[in-house]
Amino acid sequence: QVQLVESGGGLAQAGSSLRLSCEASGLPVDYSSIGWFRQAPGKGREAVSCITSSVGRTYYADSLKGRFTISKDSAKNTVYLQMNSLKPEDTAVYFCAAGEEYRYNCLLSELYDDWGQGTQVTVST
């Protein structure tokens, strides 16, 4: 049984940083695709970033490149999302998701079978 637990969300000021964690159990992050998605109030789900394969290929939404960094700790079976220079428009519930290892861009939500409960990120001005 796959379980994904997000943590690290909270209230942050614009310009500050947060690091989200997605601890996975029931599947190895090294041989899976792990994605971060977010959903702001009144908006649809948006792909943020993903990491796939044992070599850790990473992908980012174009609008977030340079501010967000995804990484993994294989020993902890955990994937992180480092978010820098936060903006109020980053306010959303952030979800991590897991799916099969995928050779190409893994930002498609259809690739993912399992989802965490989400962690709230609120960025104030």
Side-chain angles (χ1 to χ4, degrees):
Q1 181 179 356
V2 176
Q3 186 173 15
L4 303 170
V5 179
E6 302 99 333
S7 61
L11 180 63
Q13 287 191 326
S16 66
S17 300
L18 284 175
R19 188 179 78 159
L20 305 183
S21 300
C22 174
E23 183 175 0
S25 58
L27 86 170
V29 298
D30 273 351
Y31 299 99
S32 306
S33 294
I34 305 294
W36 284 99
F37 296 80
R38 68 185 184 183
Q39 187 163 16
K43 296 187 177 181
R45 186 168 56 197
E46 176 188 17
V48 174
S49 181
C50 61
I51 186 167
T52 187
S53 90
S54 58
V55 300
R57 283 193 296 267
T58 59
Y59 299 86
Y60 298 91
D62 288 342
S63 62
L64 299 175
K65 287 180 181 177
R67 291 198 300 123
F68 288 16
T69 303
I70 192 169
S71 62
K72 65 178 177 178
D73 184 330
S74 301
K76 295 182 178 180
N77 215 39
T78 298
V79 172
Y80 303 99
L81 183 70
Q82 178 69 42
M83 306 187 296
N84 298 329
S85 302
L86 284 164
K87 303 176 181 180
E89 50 263 43
D90 294 320
T91 295
V93 178
Y94 285 71
F95 300 90
C96 69
E100 292 186 359
E101 185 175 344
Y102 189 63
R103 179 175 296 183
Y104 307 109
N105 191 323
C106 49
L107 288 174
L108 299 173
S109 62
E110 294 80 5
L111 296 175
Y112 297 93
D113 301 312
D114 299 286
W115 294 77
Q117 293 299 307
T119 185
Q120 176 71 48
V121 171
T122 303
V123 183
S124 62
T125 55

